[in-house]
Amino acid sequence: MDKKDLKIAIVGAGLNGLALALSLRIFGIEATVYEKADKPRADGTGIIMWPEGMQILAALIDVEKVKATGNSVDLITTLTATSEMINQLSMQATDGNVNAPIGLFHRRDLYQLLLTALGEDNILTGQHCSVENEVILINGEPLIADVIVGVDGLFSQVRQFVAPEVNIRQPGVYCCRGIVDFNTPGISDDECYVFAGMQSRIVTYTYDRENHSKYWFAACPVAEGETLDKARILEKFAHYSPFLLEMIKSTPESQIMPSPLADVAPFSRWSRGNAVLLGDACCSVLPTMGIGFSLGIENAYILAQSLAANFNDIPNALQRYQHRAQQRSHDLQNITHRLSQLTYIEPFDPIEVQSLYQQFTTVNGRSVF
């Protein structure tokens, strides 16, 4: 079959779904994106892109448009809760092969960048995916396509067809994500910060230099049934530096998104027949290292290339994608999960944490991009 005649259905119009559609277009393949909401989901707070993912983003969009959309930095600085230096990681100094900076974005702006490039007409909204009698359905009717890609997130419906045995893990940690215009000498526009406390952490960075717009993420363990809101964060994180607490205090409640942390353990079956998984549907990662969308966009490009360069049948192309992407994805899942355990649940072990950071750098550096 000519690749231009491939009928590809992408279930889920999140960041990874749009990235896959654009990656396929680069290889001459147009896809239809199915979204359950009544309009594309241009919401959220902040998002970080590692250099490997930034290169794919630039290839799909345009370097100058990417630069204009968010902030770019080279440094990740880790400090104690009271702002004492622990370490500082420079992308350029760590790996001379890095060909892009770290990208810091408002999720809404990054989503709009991808949506504009793809075209909203390529997305069918109000399309509810389900699985019945081992058939993938859209609005109750069988979804007919040469390839069905489940990019429908952590609670994926397509995964119920591909790998129904997979369960979601929730480690008992809750987080809040917020955005606010806030200027303080304690947070430079040129760095991404991790403030590490006892079984807690705050991550923050500037995504808009002109307005000093900040994204922050605060997480800690909670009792069963407990949640977090601004008041509880200010109480639980009272030992953190005053400027961090002031930033959180200044954030409107409407700009704070609370949620429990959750992921899935690595599993081997990413495809079944003509259906395949991508993004959080197959390799959800905890936000410890902010690798989620960078990994997703890389894997989207690998999947698109595997389909476009396929000499055999569709299942062979999907197995090729899995062979190229799965092991690195699993390694990053395991590293981030273990780091989360040491950050929030178990006694902090600086030697193991340092070893895990080194493992992360090595594994992430195995990217072909």
Side-chain angles (χ1 to χ4, degrees):
M1 178 184 294
D2 191 299
K3 66 182 182 181
K4 293 181 180 179
D5 297 325
L6 277 174
K7 185 176 181 181
I8 297 184
I10 299 173
V11 180
L15 289 170
N16 285 312
L18 301 190
L20 176 59
L22 288 168
S23 297
L24 287 164
R25 181 177 288 173
I26 280 183
F27 292 105
I29 302 171
E30 291 294 328
T32 301
V33 184
Y34 296 82
E35 169 56 42
K36 68 179 179 180
D38 58 1
K39 61 180 180 180
R41 308 188 306 268
D43 55 9
T45 51
I47 192 164
I48 183 171
M49 293 286 288
W50 286 79
E52 295 79 8
M54 284 285 280
Q55 291 180 90
I56 302 297
L57 184 62
L60 298 182
I61 308 293
D62 175 80
V63 171
E64 295 306 317
K65 289 181 180 178
V66 173
K67 287 181 179 179
T69 300
N71 186 18
S72 298
V73 302
D74 177 62
L75 297 173
I76 296 180
T77 301
T78 302
L79 307 102
T80 66
T82 53
S83 302
E84 296 160 339
M85 177 71 73
I86 297 176
N87 62 51
Q88 193 169 63
L89 177 65
S90 164
M91 294 296 101
Q92 296 296 329
T94 301
D95 184 354
N97 294 322
V98 167
N99 193 35
I102 295 170
L104 308 172
F105 302 92
H106 190 302
R107 192 181 188 94
R108 175 198 61 220
D109 298 336
L110 183 57
Y111 186 89
Q112 191 60 52
L113 188 68
L114 293 166
L115 182 62
T116 300
L118 178 63
E120 197 167 331
D121 292 344
N122 292 280
I123 301 174
L124 301 179
T125 56
Q127 307 294 306
H128 295 266
C129 180
S130 60
V131 176
E132 295 182 14
N133 300 319
E134 298 203 335
V135 177
I136 299 173
L137 309 175
I138 289 289
N139 290 342
E141 298 294 330
L143 178 53
I144 307 301
D146 297 310
V147 182
I148 299 171
V149 189
V151 202
D152 46 343
L154 178 62
F155 300 94
S156 169
Q157 287 296 307
V158 178
R159 191 175 65 234
Q160 296 303 310
F161 172 79
V162 174
E165 73 283 358
V166 173
N167 294 313
I168 293 168
R169 301 185 294 191
Q170 291 187 314
V173 176
Y174 216 86
C175 76
C176 282
R177 297 172 170 90
I179 51 173
V180 62
D181 293 347
F182 184 79
N183 191 18
T184 173
I187 304 173
S188 167
D189 293 345
D190 297 316
E191 302 175 43
C192 176
Y193 293 90
V194 179
F195 295 88
M198 289 298 295
Q199 295 190 323
S200 63
R201 72 162 45 189
I202 291 176
V203 177
T204 187
Y205 54 74
T206 300
Y207 64 84
D208 180 345
R209 288 175 181 255
E210 182 177 352
N211 296 303
H212 303 289
S213 301
K214 302 290 187 294
Y215 162 78
W216 58 264
F217 165 97
C220 65
V222 295
E224 186 174 353
E226 184 185 3
T227 61
L228 284 183
D229 57 17
K230 182 161 72 172
R232 290 291 287 151
I233 292 170
L234 292 173
E235 177 185 335
K236 283 180 171 287
F237 289 75
H239 59 293
Y240 276 71
S241 291
F243 67 87
L244 294 171
L245 301 179
E246 186 60 33
M247 176 177 64
I248 294 170
K249 187 177 180 180
S250 300
T251 307
E253 293 279 3
S254 62
Q255 299 299 316
I256 299 176
M257 294 181 60
S259 64
L261 296 191
D263 70 349
V264 295
F267 61 95
S268 60
R269 191 174 190 180
W270 282 12
S271 65
R272 177 186 174 192
N274 70 331
V276 65
L277 304 174
L278 175 69
D280 285 349
C282 62
C283 53
S284 173
V285 292
L286 292 171
T288 316
M289 297 299 293
I291 193 66
F293 183 47
S294 290
L295 180 60
I297 198 172
E298 291 180 63
N299 288 352
Y301 198 90
I302 291 171
L303 175 56
Q305 194 274 335
S306 297
L307 289 167
N310 181 36
F311 279 78
N312 300 306
D313 57 17
I314 293 298
N316 280 72
L318 302 184
Q319 285 298 311
R320 178 61 179 163
Y321 151 68
Q322 180 171 315
H323 173 75
R324 295 172 63 191
Q326 189 177 81
Q327 187 58 60
R328 176 171 173 265
S329 299
H330 282 180
D331 289 345
L332 289 170
Q333 279 182 284
N334 287 328
I335 291 168
T336 55
H337 187 80
R338 182 58 185 153
L339 276 170
S340 294
Q341 289 178 318
L342 291 170
T343 299
Y344 303 116
I345 307 299
E346 298 181 12
F348 186 79
D349 181 345
I351 296 176
E352 184 178 359
V353 168
Q354 183 62 30
S355 173
L356 288 166
Y357 276 124
Q358 291 173 349
Q359 290 176 45
F360 176 85
T361 302
T362 299
V363 172
N364 198 39
R366 293 208 306 256
S367 168
V368 297
F369 305 107

